[in-house]
Amino acid sequence: MTKFKLRQSDPARILIRGANWVGDAIMTTPVIRAVRKNFPEAEIFILVKPWVAPVFHNNPFVDSVLIYDDSGRHKKGWGTIRLAKDLRQYNFDLTVLMQNAFEAALITFLAGIPERLGYNTDGRALLLNRCIKLDPKLKRVHLIDYYRGILKGGGLYDDGGTLDLFISDHEKQKAEKTLQDNGIDILKPVIAINPGATGGTAKRWFPNRFAKLSAKLAEHFGVKVLIFGGPGDNTLGEQISGLSGDVCVNLAGKTNLAQAFALIERCSLFITNDSGLMHAAAALGINQVAIIGSTNHITTPPANTNSRIVRVPVHCSPCMKPECRYEHHQCMDKISVDMVFKEAVAMMENSNP
């Protein structure tokens, strides 16, 4: 692929179209870091949906975060045209599309961005003048490497697959206060569970098992167990807390995403379903045990070396469905409390020899 044509007199402007989900967005961070290293003098912008923006707010490789307001100003239809018009005023030289949708290519085409780099997915090849033919093998490797394939396809330097997630000092201070306010002894291990997951119940281990696990962990380590989750997980957190014998502190729905990141950074151990927060813990290098059922343990597991996967292979997994189509949920039912507890204790023992 020939060299990208970027302006020389003023700093070039690059737009990265970010992924739409928190976990996916975190897994694109190696590409964003590499784009900065390929174009150190450029101004780099990233366009994302509002709920993903905190992933990039403190990222030193991004100059500005632009919001794709798809429920308001940029709502599908005329809002798509309005977004393209909004982007046109920035006079971008190059766009790098992390998202695979036709719409992503259409918007940047309509925005008049001369260099448009991305995979030839979703019938959008004619809209990309820097079109990369997707190698089917990339569908069978970790999603981080799938995204890094965009760099290779564009003839750009690849800076490796290490994830980035940056926490501000302000959020770190707030995290410390949250722990203190909830009676968490920071001289002991800070242990947390994340029982929720977006996209249906198939990815979720059972609440009663999270409760039993929390009780065992609390007794073994002499601590309270934090419960993480989004706004829709507060009731789930209360249910687990009650079933556990009230050994938990339910933070589900009580923090924003940036605050959740800062609290995860303080954890000694994070036990989670496959979720965006699982990838946040991976980016922050936190000891974690990931409970994997319906999703692909090859393409989207936690990427940190200090993580363990608890998984029992069954004939229908990974199904990638939001709900169990057979209603038996065997991929999760076969994962016992003792299996997860054993991995959790081993992880803590290995990290504190």
Side-chain angles (χ1 to χ4, degrees), residues 329-342:
H329 217 171
Q330 282 189 357
C331 62
M332 286 300 188
D333 191 39
K334 289 181 178 294
I335 298 175
S336 70
V337 172
D338 285 341
M339 290 169 63
V340 181
F341 179 74
K342 178 181 177 181

Side-chain angles (χ1 to χ4, degrees), residues 86-107:
D86 289 347
L87 295 176
R88 185 177 282 269
Q89 68 180 323
Y90 289 95
N91 294 314
F92 289 114
D93 299 274
L94 164 67
T95 184
V96 181
L97 304 181
M98 298 290 98
Q99 203 207 13
N100 291 319
F102 178 86
E103 181 201 52
L106 176 63
I107 289 169

Side-chain angles (χ1 to χ4, degrees), residues 22-23 26-27 55 163-167 192-194 228 257 260-290 301-308 347:
V22 171
I26 291 170
M27 288 186 281
V55 172
L163 300 176
D164 291 321
L165 190 59
F166 299 92
I167 314 296
I193 61 171
N194 180 43
F228 281 74
L257 189 58
F261 291 160
L263 284 162
I264 290 172
E265 189 183 41
R266 288 293 287 109
C267 288
S268 311
L269 175 66
F270 194 67
I271 302 171
T272 178
N273 296 320
D274 185 351
S275 63
L277 294 187
M278 177 188 78
H279 295 292
L284 294 168
I286 303 304
N287 296 327
Q288 71 172 316
V289 176
N304 55 324
T305 56
N306 53 326
S307 63
R308 297 184 179 214
M347 174 65 74

Side-chain angles (χ1 to χ4, degrees), residues 61-72:
F61 307 116
V62 175
D63 293 300
S64 184
V65 178
L66 304 180
I67 300 299
Y68 183 167
D69 182 15
D70 67 340
S71 63

Side-chain angles (χ1 to χ4, degrees), residues 58-182:
N58 301 299
N59 191 314
F61 307 116
V62 175
D63 293 300
S64 184
V65 178
L66 304 180
I67 300 299
Y68 183 167
D69 182 15
D70 67 340
S71 63
R73 177 174 174 79
H74 304 137
K75 192 172 182 179
K76 192 172 183 179
W78 285 110
T80 302
I81 305 299
R82 192 175 293 116
L83 175 57
K85 185 177 179 181
D86 289 347
L87 295 176
R88 185 177 282 269
Q89 68 180 323
Y90 289 95
N91 294 314
F92 289 114
D93 299 274
L94 164 67
T95 184
V96 181
L97 304 181
M98 298 290 98
Q99 203 207 13
N100 291 319
F102 178 86
E103 181 201 52
L106 176 63
I107 289 169
T108 54
F109 175 81
L110 294 176
I113 303 175
E115 299 276 16
R116 302 176 302 280
L117 175 67
Y119 285 126
N120 64 338
T121 52
D122 208 25
R124 63 187 192 169
L126 292 178
L127 297 174
L128 301 174
N129 69 319
R130 302 288 185 154
C131 188
I132 304 166
K133 185 177 180 180
L134 178 59
D135 184 343
K137 293 179 182 178
L138 288 174
K139 288 285 191 177
R140 300 191 293 272
V141 300
H142 201 289
L143 191 56
I144 295 170
D145 297 319
Y146 173 89
Y147 288 129
R148 290 168 63 199
I150 296 172
L151 296 168
K152 181 179 179 181
L156 297 174
Y157 164 76
D158 177 11
D159 195 48
T162 302
L163 300 176
D164 291 321
L165 190 59
F166 299 92
I167 314 296
S168 71
D169 289 339
H170 177 65
E171 293 299 346
K172 289 181 180 182
Q173 292 168 7
K174 288 175 68 175
E176 293 296 327
K177 186 175 187 306
T178 298
L179 294 176
Q180 293 172 10
D181 290 348
N182 285 281

Side-chain angles (χ1 to χ4, degrees), residues 216-239:
K216 287 174 71 74
L217 291 169
E219 181 180 12
H220 185 85
F221 291 103
V223 298
K224 292 182 179 180
V225 175
L226 299 175
I227 301 177
F228 281 74
D233 296 323
N234 182 260
T235 300
L236 173 63
E238 289 299 313
Q239 178 189 5

